[in-house]
Amino acid sequence: DGGITQSPKYLFRKEGQNVTLSCEQNLNHDAMYWYRQDPGQGLRLIYYSQIVNDFQKGDIAEGYSVSREKKESFPLTVTSAQKNPTAFYLCASNGGADTGELFFGEGSRLTVL
Amino acid sequence: DAKTTQPPSMDCAEGRAANLPCNHSTISGNEYVYWYRQIHSQGPQYIIHGLKNNETNEMASLIITEDRKSSTLILPHATLRDTAVYYCIVRVYGTGRRALTFGSGTRLQVQP
């Protein structure tokens, strides 16, 4: 089935460690996005990529990095520079028609101990 | 993109219609209204979108006022599985895959 797969679903890390969250899609979508969600809050945009080998910062990019070497993959690295990394991370994509219809993965919940 | 205002929470009885309002008084002529919902600890799910005409699909109906300054998402027969946070978003259609901006939404609790 087509969709977006995020892994891992739950992740624990110690302070000072970098961690990479995986996002893979088989929808043949050009655009991919990373959002962060804190408890009781809406989604905030971290990074987005409209095409392979290109990406732009969102509203809260500090302390995060991404790459887009393949169309189907858009991994997010949470670096030790991110001061409050504990959150729910969501990856999304949409197709070339830019309908505003985003397809989301199931999310990755990161907890920093 | 225009700002939207939604009530923070609403209750609805199971089997009854759930009417979720959204105010977007600064919407411009080329901006669409989108609705998404997010069930607890899952990714948001697209529901419906519209420009000025009322829209209906298998999930819901979208009613947009004539002046387009507000809209209502209608779930005609709410079930317990419709308990979720509902987001109303306004954005220009076809603008090069820019990301959507999600506010805090309305938390709908469907009561048995």
Side-chain angles (χ1 to χ4, degrees):
Chain A
D1 283 359
I4 298 180
T5 302
Q6 289 187 240
S7 62
K9 192 170 177 66
Y10 298 95
L11 185 62
F12 297 87
R13 86 155 209 221
K14 294 181 180 179
E15 274 192 41
Q17 290 180 335
N18 291 356
V19 63
T20 297
L21 307 180
S22 170
C23 178
E24 303 278 332
Q25 54 100 357
N26 60 5
L27 300 167
N28 199 34
H29 285 170
D30 286 317
M32 297 186 73
Y33 311 83
W34 274 105
Y35 287 90
R36 167 182 172 140
Q37 187 173 37
D38 294 290
Q41 305 296 314
L43 284 65
R44 292 186 290 168
L45 182 66
I46 305 173
Y47 267 98
Y48 65 102
S49 168
Q50 296 182 338
I51 199 167
V52 174
N53 293 321
D54 185 54
F55 49 83
Q56 287 79 41
K57 293 181 179 179
D59 300 320
I60 56 164
E62 185 176 351
Y64 300 97
S65 66
V66 293
S67 63
R68 186 84 189 278
E69 297 176 1
K70 298 186 297 183
K71 187 175 185 177
E72 59 270 22
S73 178
F74 191 40
L76 173 75
T77 296
V78 185
T79 75
S80 56
Q82 169 48 235
K83 297 190 187 312
N84 296 296
T86 295
F88 187 47
Y89 291 89
L90 287 156
C91 179
S93 72
N94 75 346
D98 188 31
T99 62
E101 181 178 350
L102 294 184
F103 293 81
F104 281 85
E106 291 298 306
S108 293
R109 190 169 298 279
L110 172 64
T111 301
V112 174
L113 304 173
Chain B
D1 297 330
K3 180 179 170 61
T4 62
T5 303
Q6 298 178 254
S9 64
M10 293 182 63
D11 286 343
C12 176
E14 189 177 18
R16 305 296 292 270
N19 299 288
L20 294 99
C22 180
N23 182 287
H24 31 79
S25 58
T26 61
I27 193 170
S28 59
N30 61 347
E31 288 182 312
Y32 282 64
V33 180
Y34 293 83
W35 283 85
Y36 280 74
R37 75 178 183 185
Q38 185 178 23
I39 295 170
H40 183 63
S41 293
Q42 295 183 22
Q45 175 191 24
Y46 165 83
I47 301 173
I48 199 167
H49 75 279
L51 180 63
K52 55 183 178 181
N53 298 320
N54 298 338
E55 302 288 345
T56 296
N57 62 21
E58 64 279 4
M59 290 183 67
S61 294
L62 174 60
I63 308 298
I64 302 174
T65 58
E66 193 168 339
D67 63 7
R68 303 206 326 118
K69 294 186 177 183
S70 65
S71 60
T72 301
L73 179 75
I74 301 172
L75 309 178
H77 305 287
T79 71
L80 298 178
R81 287 176 292 183
D82 292 320
T83 292
V85 177
Y86 288 77
Y87 299 98
C88 170
I89 301 164
V90 171
R91 67 160 288 184
V92 179
Y93 185 95
T95 52
R97 309 189 190 103
R98 284 190 303 114
L100 296 175
T101 299
F102 290 77
S104 299
T106 296
R107 186 171 300 276
L108 176 68
Q109 180 69 50
V110 179
Q111 306 284 357

